[in-house]
Amino acid sequence: QVQLVESGGGLVQAGDSLRLSCAGSGRAFNNYAMGWFRQAPGKEREFVAHIFRSTSSTYYAESVKGRFTISRDSGKSTAFLQMNSLKPEDTAVYYCAASRALVPGIRVRDYDYWGQGTQVTVSS
């Protein structure tokens, strides 16, 4: 089991960038695939991106492809989400999640551990 803490959210203008961080506790961090999800007001939590454990392959939701980049720093037990060209529709609470599955899917239920979320607000 790992514990996750997100940081890096804030209020930005459309077109700006943010880098979210997800700090994991414990040595077991690198045994988990990592994902980022977001939840906008009135909507269900939706998949944004994930990075696999064994292959380091990444996958992105179509809405963020080409703008967001997920990565991880094994030495620092930290995952990141670089968000560029932010749009007002990106406004949401962003959650870091960890999955024990080797190749998790894009469903919320595929992930076992969650951070508390960090607010990203993009002004129009």
Side-chain angles (χ1 to χ4, degrees):
Q1 183 176 358
V2 299
Q3 301 208 351
L4 308 173
V5 180
E6 304 97 334
S7 62
L11 174 63
V12 298
Q13 302 175 47
D16 284 353
S17 298
L18 281 174
R19 192 190 195 201
L20 305 183
S21 297
C22 174
S25 63
R27 294 184 177 183
F29 177 83
N30 293 326
N31 292 332
Y32 299 86
M34 302 299 301
W36 286 95
F37 289 74
R38 66 187 183 186
Q39 188 165 16
K43 296 184 178 181
E44 296 185 3
R45 193 167 300 184
E46 67 174 351
F47 170 81
V48 174
H50 63 203
I51 182 167
F52 299 156
R53 176 173 60 83
S54 296
T55 67
S56 296
S57 296
T58 58
Y59 183 77
Y60 299 90
E62 190 66 29
S63 60
V64 306
K65 190 176 298 182
R67 298 188 298 121
F68 291 10
T69 302
I70 186 172
S71 61
R72 65 194 303 165
D73 186 333
S74 297
K76 297 176 63 176
S77 297
T78 305
F80 304 96
L81 185 69
Q82 177 67 45
M83 306 184 295
N84 298 326
S85 302
L86 283 163
K87 305 174 181 179
E89 50 263 45
D90 295 318
T91 295
V93 176
Y94 283 72
Y95 297 90
C96 175
S99 176
R100 298 175 66 183
L102 184 64
V103 183
I106 63 173
R107 300 171 300 180
V108 168
R109 66 179 182 176
D110 292 334
Y111 292 80
D112 303 291
Y113 308 107
W114 295 83
Q116 294 300 307
T118 184
Q119 177 71 47
V120 172
T121 302
V122 185
S123 62
S124 60

